[in-house]
Amino acid sequence: MQHQLIDYYKAIERTSEQMLAAAQAEDWDQVVRLEGACAVLIAQLRFKSRDADLAPEERKEKAQIMQRILRTDAEIRCLAEPWLSDLAQILDRPSPAPTH
């Protein structure tokens, strides 16, 4: 099956939506796994886009997909920030002094 260029954008959007669902469920391991899947899709898109162009009607669809991906990404970051803040506080906490 040959994928069209727009299919990669759609796949990235679907994976981004799955990442948001995982973040909402606080399943950070799944978020990381899906982030890896997104990276693979983006690499495939970059490779494919060297030899293919979007049709004019697909360019508009791409713009809409990209806007949705950016909104989803912002939501994921909002959900992750408290978790990252908690982690930073734990890492910044001084180690207790050994008692003898």
Side-chain angles (χ1 to χ4, degrees):
M1 175 178 160
Q2 176 150 1
H3 293 283
Q4 300 298 318
L5 205 52
I6 197 72
D7 294 333
Y8 290 96
Y9 289 99
K10 291 176 182 178
I12 293 165
E13 180 180 25
R14 280 190 303 275
T15 305
S16 177
E17 290 167 353
Q18 292 170 349
M19 285 175 61
L20 176 57
Q24 290 168 333
E26 297 184 13
D27 186 350
W28 302 110
D29 289 337
Q30 180 68 356
V31 171
V32 170
R33 282 189 291 275
L34 290 165
E35 187 176 32
C38 255
V40 169
L41 288 166
I42 291 167
Q44 291 172 339
L45 171 63
R46 284 187 180 131
F47 179 77
K48 178 79 172 174
S49 66
R50 288 188 225 164
D51 300 323
D53 288 322
L54 290 172
E57 65 276 2
E58 291 175 323
R59 288 188 202 124
K60 183 177 178 183
E61 184 177 6
K62 171 197 167 188
Q64 293 169 339
I65 290 169
M66 293 301 296
Q67 288 174 351
R68 290 190 299 265
I69 289 170
L70 291 172
R71 279 193 298 270
T72 301
D73 183 62
E75 289 182 59
I76 293 167
R77 275 186 273 119
C78 285
L79 291 168
E81 284 176 6
W83 176 79
L84 292 173
S85 177
D86 291 345
L87 180 62
Q89 287 177 357
I90 291 168
L91 295 175
D92 288 342
R93 202 175 293 154
S95 301
T99 55
H100 293 285

